[in-house]
Amino acid sequence: MFKRFLLPLLAGLALAAPACAKPPVWVVRDADSQIILFGSVHLLPPGLDWRPEALDAALKSADDLWFEMPLGATESREAAQLWYAKGVLPEGEKLSDKLSPRGRKRLAEAAERAHLDMQAVDRMRPWLAEVMLSIALLSGEGANGSDGVERTIDALAPKSAERRAFETSDQQLLYFAEAPESEQIASLENSLKDDQKPGGFGKLVSAWMAADLKALSRLGLEPMRKRTPVLYSRLVTERNARWADQIAERLAGSGETVMVVGAAHLIGKDGVPAMLRRRGIAVQGP
């Protein structure tokens, strides 16, 4: 999950992207294997025609299909218990007390728009509040995981394709939960501030559909890299390096593979394709 791809509202999304545009695809191959890399926006509204032909073709013959984490993993009882254990503040602490005066006001306003109980939000650690507000705000605008990239691709891939994951759900949760609290607070404050600007998510999805990598970086990566560099390193750079290791290992085998991760992980100098190219691995794509 990449939080900057979730929080802004969906104003104007249905008209934002050119009708014939499609998101980019990267191809990694050697003599006996091919890996398709595709960047996801985890939540989308229904009816968006986003699937490029190269992705559909690769899915038909895929031997294995990779996601960031196993689909459905966050829905288990064990996962819910870990979210509670890592996401709730100690007794007597309030999230609003940790924020600036403007941050407190924006938090209350965002909770009201998202139809979340402010008392419950006030018990959350900053990272969990940001995630929950992001999902609730987008859900209220019609976006959902069922219409998102991962669920759609999973349904299209042959049942025979082995489902694999780069991370477990617990690992992904801990990347957020164990980040320094100061970085969590800064990220939440910035997201609450950005939420005041309408149409942000529509612009991001439009850039995704048009394969405009510069705009994707400007909208989805640069704010985090500049404002919360420790969180950026933890959630983006370090994970991308681990995934590049796993991709190189998979390339040493054989067969047809499709890998789907958040779009932010595939762009820029810290993106997975750039890391693979610096290793001398040929990557076709933008």
Side-chain angles (χ1 to χ4, degrees):
M1 181 190 305
F2 191 62
K3 294 185 286 182
R4 290 289 174 186
F5 275 67
L6 293 179
L7 187 56
L9 295 177
L10 283 163
L13 179 57
L15 301 177
C20 61
K22 294 292 172 67
V25 169
W26 289 260
V27 183
V28 187
R29 62 164 62 96
D30 61 14
D32 57 359
S33 57
Q34 174 178 280
I35 298 174
I36 295 291
L37 301 177
F38 185 71
S40 165
V41 175
H42 300 307
L43 301 180
L44 288 174
L48 193 65
D49 182 16
W50 54 263
R51 284 167 25 217
E53 292 182 4
L55 175 64
D56 281 351
L59 285 170
K60 292 178 182 178
S61 57
D63 297 306
D64 48 311
L65 175 61
W66 293 58
F67 298 110
E68 288 188 25
M69 65 179 183
L71 295 189
T74 58
E75 300 165 5
S76 69
R77 178 179 298 180
E78 293 78 9
Q81 290 173 341
L82 185 60
W83 276 70
Y84 181 84
K86 296 293 185 179
V88 176
L89 288 166
E91 194 67 33
E93 292 188 24
K94 291 184 178 181
L95 174 59
S96 54
D97 291 340
K98 300 176 182 290
L99 304 181
S100 68
R102 284 190 178 182
R104 288 194 290 272
K105 183 175 183 293
R106 289 168 177 158
L107 180 68
E109 292 171 348
E112 183 176 0
R113 288 196 307 275
H115 304 290
L116 296 179
D117 180 4
M118 182 57 196
Q119 288 187 327
V121 173
D122 225 6
R123 294 284 296 116
M124 297 178 186
R125 295 187 185 274
W127 71 269
L128 181 57
E130 186 172 359
V131 170
M132 297 303 291
L133 285 167
S134 300
I135 294 172
L137 287 170
L138 287 184
S139 296
E141 295 292 328
N144 61 77
S146 297
D147 292 301
V149 169
E150 285 82 0
R151 294 288 185 184
T152 301
I153 288 178
D154 184 55
L156 289 171
K159 300 298 182 184
S160 59
E162 181 184 3
R163 270 59 172 179
R164 302 183 65 180
F166 287 102
E167 302 166 344
T168 68
S169 59
D170 290 357
Q171 285 175 321
Q172 192 168 94
L173 182 151
L174 293 175
Y175 293 140
F176 292 95
E178 295 182 350
E181 187 178 72
S182 60
E183 292 273 314
Q184 294 182 36
I185 292 170
S187 181
L188 175 59
E189 292 254 17
N190 287 321
S191 290
L192 292 169
K193 180 181 178 181
D194 291 344
D195 183 41
Q196 306 297 309
K197 307 171 186 176
F201 194 76
K203 292 177 182 178
L204 189 145
V205 174
S206 180
W208 177 66
M209 286 289 293
D212 187 343
L213 304 192
K214 289 184 178 179
L216 279 175
S217 180
R218 184 179 71 252
L219 294 167
L221 279 179
E222 289 306 308
M224 175 182 279
R225 187 180 66 82
K226 292 178 180 178
R227 298 170 180 174
T228 53
V230 175
L231 200 59
Y232 177 86
S233 177
R234 184 178 185 85
L235 296 182
V236 180
T237 310
E238 294 175 13
R239 293 169 73 202
N240 289 356
R242 287 191 289 270
W243 296 354
D245 288 339
Q246 291 170 278
I247 292 170
E249 183 178 348
R250 178 64 187 90
L251 190 64
S254 62
E256 305 287 325
T257 301
V258 174
M259 295 180 168
V260 183
V261 298
H265 294 283
L266 300 180
I267 61 179
K269 63 181 179 63
D270 297 323
V272 171
M275 289 185 175
L276 292 172
R277 286 166 177 153
R278 287 196 290 272
R279 296 179 182 208
I281 296 174
V283 181
Q284 297 177 5

